[in-house]
Amino acid sequence: MAITGFKGQWLDVRVFFCLALLTGIKLGGIAAKIQYSIQEELKSGTAVGNLARDLGLERGRLSDRNLRVVSGTKQDLFKVNPKDGVLLVNQRVDREEICARTVPCTTILKAVVENPLEMHQVIIEILDVNDNSPKFPEENYTLEVLESAIIGSRFQVEGAHDLDVASNSLQSYRLNHNQYFRLETEEFGEDGKVPFLILQRPLDREQTDQIWLLLTAIDGGKPPKSATVNITVIVSDVNDNSPVCDKQKYAVTIKENAVPGTFLLTVNASDSDEGMNGEIEYSLRSKPRGLSSDPFDLDSKTGKLTVKEGLDYEERQIYEIKVVAADKGAVSLSTHCNVVVRVEDVNDNPPEIEITSLSSRIPEDAPLGTVVALMGVTDLDSGVNGQVVCSVPAHLPFDLKPSPDGQSYSLVTKDYLDKETIHTYSITITAKDLGRPPLSSTMVVQVDVLDVNDNRPLFTESPYTFYVPENNKAGMSIFSVSATDADGGENAALTYSLDRKSPGSTVTSFLNINEINGTISALKSFDFERVKTFQFHVVASDSGSPSLSSNVTVNVFILDQNDNAPVILYPLSSNGSAEGVEEIPRNVNAGHLVTKVRAYDADIGYNGWLLFSLQEVTAHSLFTLDRYTGQIRTLRSFTETDEAEHKLLILVKDNGNVSLSATATVLVRLVEPKEAFAASDVKSSSRADEDNNVTFYLMITLASVSALFLISIIVLIAMQCSKSTDYTSKYLQETNYDGTLCHSIQYRSGDKRYMLVGPRMSIGSTIVPGSQANTLVLPDRRKTSEEVNVILFLCIHNY
């Protein structure tokens, strides 16, 4: 018995106890015996039991007690989780490998804990599962039985073995249904059940020389497993039958030009006997009359008849041969087989094809009936054997036209050619005579199809849609288009250009395209606040003569970047700085509106969403700032001890990835109520004119927005009726924002719907990766995939 030390060293248990005594560790001995039961073949990491709990160990002291198990073998089948003291399966547990056929199968572990030192015995019973099928020593078994065996004869068959035990072990055998044998089994100690075959009817080798049986061994598992063995029963016989030819007369026809060794036929005789009594030898009885030598040869073992010498049809047309088939029994028995060989005149000259004229290169627009080649055909045979018919494969766009005398042919086109489909044809011309069997010869003609510029360039997409961030670097490429041409050579060499003649092509003045690869670059930097989208056309032209071209629409959407800092609209001093003075009475209550900071950001979405914060304030307990509206209110009533003037530094920043900001300074002066009323009268009179001007401008703005809204509705109705398939976009209004002056755009392209939002987004929106946090994909609420809606709106923040 050995245990593992702290550094992986193996120590004898006795040494371990001695060390414990010498060092003064308290040794509790084997204080407990714990027993678990598990099934074999559990996965590594499966819990066996909570050893720490069963030993009564405190979970909080497991690390101090150093609980571990020692198996005494090189294979650590189990381990303890040091955190919770659970005994786990460490390696595959195979009951058959550990205990073989021993029942019950147990393995003993030593559980060791320290502080104080204790050792406990852990017994793990490993339960058998039906994981082994019965197995025969061999897959095939041969049993030899004399045909004279009497009914009731017993023949033992080697049984199967099952590594499992108890109910999972081998339980029974089953024999397939047959008319000769039945199955019995007997118990033989450790060998278990042994199968026996019992003969139940007489055997006759002439009728059945082999019997095939299938023996199945079945265990008692649930579900049961089984194994099979193929049993071949060979029945022995006696020599009491003469050879018999399988045909009364053999006949074969051989051509006169057959070379020596040519196979004619096989004479086959059978003998129902076996062994030497059934082995047959073949021989020729005598050579044909009138011949000095035998023109045929016969293999004595196989009965194969072959040509020995050359045959001549003009000398002899028929040969009648007697073949003797005799067995090798003690008293040989024999029979005669008749063979008739007929010699046939042969067609031994194949036709010959001669090409007299050939045009190996044909343009793909060649008209039907264009002559490709002229050829002549000859055959040295005479009569029917000399008549020749020529042909080409039917699936090719070519045909053969014979001359009146049938001695020459013209190869012509019968269908239109297309180089883009097939650029080269290998035409196999077959010349076949009318002999029996016919002889033929072939000749392959190679025809190349010349390309004609008959295919326009085809763009990979139509239309193209690109999204370009603003502030791009002038002169750098922003995207590219690509087209292909099914033609070849110069006809497929493409050049790209911008269509500068189409209506609305003014945007092409600041675009440039690489005429070779279709890369498009911008000659200036885009500004989302000026241009949000534009459209142009790209033309792809090939180099054929005449040249063919096609164009494609390119839709470009500019993506907003956070490139505009917030602008303070109020307060503004006379010199243009963001400073203002507000006078309020001292007797105002908490929550009194002091003033409101107004700001504007030209960007949209998060980039234009402004938040307000107090950067500096002389008294934090007096004022509060709404981070969304910019309203400054009092937190409490003023007292006599409060200073008369307070300075508030307001920070206004957007929500871009790189936030931009601006500051405004508000001086709040506390005055007596009478002074405040007088100041408010002066201020009201001074603001009256401003309010009149603001009202006038607001009326103009409202009228403009209304007109723009009506125009948008008209465009919407018109585009819905036309159901344009070029591209779709939607611009929807965001009404859930109570903030600064802003604008927002939403649009759709293909299967996606995008929104360039103002300060607040719609619920359910998700940011598209790569959109600089300004573009949102909205749930698709379209009824048709070709709807185009545009709504532009302004959000005015109480200004």
mmCIF file of all heavy atoms in Angstrom, residues 728 730 748 750-753 764 777-785 787:
data_model
loop_
_atom_site.group_PDB
_atom_site.id
_atom_site.type_symbol
_atom_site.label_atom_id
_atom_site.label_comp_id
_atom_site.label_asym_id
_atom_site.label_seq_id
_atom_site.Cartn_x
_atom_site.Cartn_y
_atom_site.Cartn_z
ATOM 1 N N THR A 728 -34.550 51.699 -51.555
ATOM 2 C CA THR A 728 -35.602 52.221 -50.681
ATOM 3 C C THR A 728 -34.976 52.889 -49.495
ATOM 4 O O THR A 728 -33.947 52.482 -48.990
ATOM 5 C CB THR A 728 -36.512 51.076 -50.210
ATOM 6 O OG1 THR A 728 -35.728 50.162 -49.492
ATOM 7 C CG2 THR A 728 -37.186 50.382 -51.367
ATOM 8 N N LYS A 730 -36.261 55.432 -45.835
ATOM 9 C CA LYS A 730 -37.300 56.071 -45.021
ATOM 10 C C LYS A 730 -36.676 57.057 -44.077
ATOM 11 O O LYS A 730 -35.645 56.780 -43.476
ATOM 12 C CB LYS A 730 -38.061 55.009 -44.206
ATOM 13 C CG LYS A 730 -39.143 54.315 -45.021
ATOM 14 C CD LYS A 730 -40.063 53.523 -44.128
ATOM 15 C CE LYS A 730 -41.209 52.922 -44.909
ATOM 16 N NZ LYS A 730 -42.135 52.213 -44.065
ATOM 17 N N ARG A 748 -33.726 53.369 -45.370
ATOM 18 C CA ARG A 748 -33.713 51.919 -45.542
ATOM 19 C C ARG A 748 -32.978 51.577 -46.823
ATOM 20 O O ARG A 748 -33.100 52.246 -47.828
ATOM 21 C CB ARG A 748 -35.151 51.385 -45.619
ATOM 22 C CG ARG A 748 -35.234 49.874 -45.636
ATOM 23 C CD ARG A 748 -36.619 49.389 -46.051
ATOM 24 N NE ARG A 748 -37.699 50.218 -45.614
ATOM 25 C CZ ARG A 748 -38.273 50.121 -44.445
ATOM 26 N NH1 ARG A 748 -37.843 49.232 -43.590
ATOM 27 N NH2 ARG A 748 -39.268 50.924 -44.115
ATOM 28 N N GLY A 750 -32.181 47.885 -49.018
ATOM 29 C CA GLY A 750 -32.237 46.425 -49.106
ATOM 30 C C GLY A 750 -33.047 45.849 -47.953
ATOM 31 O O GLY A 750 -34.153 46.272 -47.665
ATOM 32 N N ASP A 751 -32.436 44.899 -47.215
ATOM 33 C CA ASP A 751 -33.112 44.261 -46.097
ATOM 34 C C ASP A 751 -32.901 44.991 -44.788
ATOM 35 O O ASP A 751 -33.428 44.591 -43.760
ATOM 36 C CB ASP A 751 -32.603 42.815 -45.953
ATOM 37 C CG ASP A 751 -32.994 41.964 -47.144
ATOM 38 O OD1 ASP A 751 -34.011 42.322 -47.771
ATOM 39 O OD2 ASP A 751 -32.309 40.980 -47.420
ATOM 40 N N LYS A 752 -32.095 46.061 -44.783
ATOM 41 C CA LYS A 752 -31.804 46.767 -43.534
ATOM 42 C C LYS A 752 -32.444 48.151 -43.530
ATOM 43 O O LYS A 752 -32.609 48.768 -44.570
ATOM 44 C CB LYS A 752 -30.291 46.883 -43.325
ATOM 45 C CG LYS A 752 -29.624 45.545 -43.080
ATOM 46 C CD LYS A 752 -28.131 45.719 -42.778
ATOM 47 C CE LYS A 752 -27.484 44.390 -42.462
ATOM 48 N NZ LYS A 752 -26.063 44.542 -42.174
ATOM 49 N N ARG A 753 -32.777 48.613 -42.335
ATOM 50 C CA ARG A 753 -33.385 49.913 -42.154
ATOM 51 C C ARG A 753 -32.512 50.703 -41.212
ATOM 52 O O ARG A 753 -32.215 50.245 -40.111
ATOM 53 C CB ARG A 753 -34.789 49.738 -41.570
ATOM 54 C CG ARG A 753 -35.591 51.014 -41.469
ATOM 55 C CD ARG A 753 -36.934 50.693 -40.861
ATOM 56 N NE ARG A 753 -37.798 51.854 -40.832
ATOM 57 C CZ ARG A 753 -38.778 51.995 -39.975
ATOM 58 N NH1 ARG A 753 -38.997 51.067 -39.077
ATOM 59 N NH2 ARG A 753 -39.558 53.058 -40.016
ATOM 60 N N GLY A 764 -36.048 49.789 -28.944
ATOM 61 C CA GLY A 764 -35.911 48.635 -29.838
ATOM 62 C C GLY A 764 -34.891 48.841 -30.908
ATOM 63 O O GLY A 764 -34.681 47.981 -31.739
ATOM 64 N N VAL A 777 -30.214 50.421 -36.686
ATOM 65 C CA VAL A 777 -31.095 49.564 -37.468
ATOM 66 C C VAL A 777 -32.415 49.466 -36.744
ATOM 67 O O VAL A 777 -32.454 49.088 -35.579
ATOM 68 C CB VAL A 777 -30.480 48.153 -37.639
ATOM 69 C CG1 VAL A 777 -31.445 47.282 -38.413
ATOM 70 C CG2 VAL A 777 -29.157 48.277 -38.367
ATOM 71 N N LEU A 778 -33.510 49.819 -37.424
ATOM 72 C CA LEU A 778 -34.835 49.826 -36.805
ATOM 73 C C LEU A 778 -35.602 48.586 -37.194
ATOM 74 O O LEU A 778 -35.353 47.992 -38.240
ATOM 75 C CB LEU A 778 -35.609 51.064 -37.292
ATOM 76 C CG LEU A 778 -35.028 52.416 -36.849
ATOM 77 C CD1 LEU A 778 -35.899 53.511 -37.357
ATOM 78 C CD2 LEU A 778 -34.871 52.496 -35.358
ATOM 79 N N PRO A 779 -36.583 48.196 -36.351
ATOM 80 C CA PRO A 779 -37.465 47.086 -36.765
ATOM 81 C C PRO A 779 -38.169 47.437 -38.063
ATOM 82 O O PRO A 779 -38.632 48.552 -38.260
ATOM 83 C CB PRO A 779 -38.457 46.980 -35.590
ATOM 84 C CG PRO A 779 -37.752 47.628 -34.439
ATOM 85 C CD PRO A 779 -36.892 48.696 -35.027
ATOM 86 N N ASP A 780 -38.247 46.458 -38.966
ATOM 87 C CA ASP A 780 -38.806 46.689 -40.285
ATOM 88 C C ASP A 780 -40.311 46.723 -40.216
ATOM 89 O O ASP A 780 -40.960 45.747 -39.860
ATOM 90 C CB ASP A 780 -38.350 45.559 -41.221
ATOM 91 C CG ASP A 780 -38.670 45.887 -42.663
ATOM 92 O OD1 ASP A 780 -39.282 46.948 -42.890
ATOM 93 O OD2 ASP A 780 -38.306 45.091 -43.547
ATOM 94 N N ARG A 781 -40.888 47.890 -40.482
ATOM 95 C CA ARG A 781 -42.346 48.018 -40.479
ATOM 96 C C ARG A 781 -42.893 48.251 -41.884
ATOM 97 O O ARG A 781 -43.967 48.783 -42.074
ATOM 98 C CB ARG A 781 -42.766 49.171 -39.567
ATOM 99 C CG ARG A 781 -42.278 49.005 -38.124
ATOM 100 C CD ARG A 781 -42.777 50.131 -37.263
ATOM 101 N NE ARG A 781 -42.312 49.999 -35.909
ATOM 102 C CZ ARG A 781 -41.199 50.500 -35.450
ATOM 103 N NH1 ARG A 781 -40.400 51.158 -36.294
ATOM 104 N NH2 ARG A 781 -40.839 50.346 -34.197
ATOM 105 N N ARG A 782 -42.117 47.831 -42.906
ATOM 106 C CA ARG A 782 -42.579 48.039 -44.288
ATOM 107 C C ARG A 782 -43.676 47.058 -44.647
ATOM 108 O O ARG A 782 -43.697 45.939 -44.186
ATOM 109 C CB ARG A 782 -41.419 47.835 -45.266
ATOM 110 C CG ARG A 782 -40.327 48.877 -45.122
ATOM 111 C CD ARG A 782 -39.266 48.617 -46.144
ATOM 112 N NE ARG A 782 -38.670 47.312 -45.885
ATOM 113 C CZ ARG A 782 -37.792 46.765 -46.667
ATOM 114 N NH1 ARG A 782 -37.451 47.329 -47.784
ATOM 115 N NH2 ARG A 782 -37.242 45.598 -46.367
ATOM 116 N N LYS A 783 -44.556 47.478 -45.519
ATOM 117 C CA LYS A 783 -45.533 46.570 -46.131
ATOM 118 C C LYS A 783 -45.044 46.109 -47.487
ATOM 119 O O LYS A 783 -45.426 45.074 -47.968
ATOM 120 C CB LYS A 783 -46.895 47.238 -46.270
ATOM 121 C CG LYS A 783 -47.566 47.497 -44.914
ATOM 122 C CD LYS A 783 -48.954 48.044 -45.106
ATOM 123 C CE LYS A 783 -49.651 48.245 -43.777
ATOM 124 N NZ LYS A 783 -50.996 48.795 -43.921
ATOM 125 N N THR A 784 -44.213 46.896 -48.140
ATOM 126 C CA THR A 784 -43.612 46.504 -49.420
ATOM 127 C C THR A 784 -42.146 46.805 -49.341
ATOM 128 O O THR A 784 -41.716 47.727 -48.666
ATOM 129 C CB THR A 784 -44.239 47.257 -50.615
ATOM 130 O OG1 THR A 784 -43.956 48.644 -50.445
ATOM 131 C CG2 THR A 784 -45.730 47.050 -50.682
ATOM 132 N N SER A 785 -41.337 45.991 -50.069
ATOM 133 C CA SER A 785 -39.877 46.152 -50.027
ATOM 134 C C SER A 785 -39.405 47.230 -50.970
ATOM 135 O O SER A 785 -38.218 47.453 -51.094
ATOM 136 C CB SER A 785 -39.230 44.814 -50.400
ATOM 137 O OG SER A 785 -39.583 44.461 -51.700
ATOM 138 N N GLU A 787 -40.730 50.498 -51.024
ATOM 139 C CA GLU A 787 -41.306 51.777 -50.600
ATOM 140 C C GLU A 787 -40.203 52.749 -50.276
ATOM 141 O O GLU A 787 -39.202 52.413 -49.681
ATOM 142 C CB GLU A 787 -42.170 51.511 -49.376
ATOM 143 C CG GLU A 787 -42.750 52.760 -48.760
ATOM 144 C CD GLU A 787 -43.528 52.394 -47.517
ATOM 145 O OE1 GLU A 787 -43.876 51.225 -47.372
ATOM 146 O OE2 GLU A 787 -43.775 53.274 -46.697
#
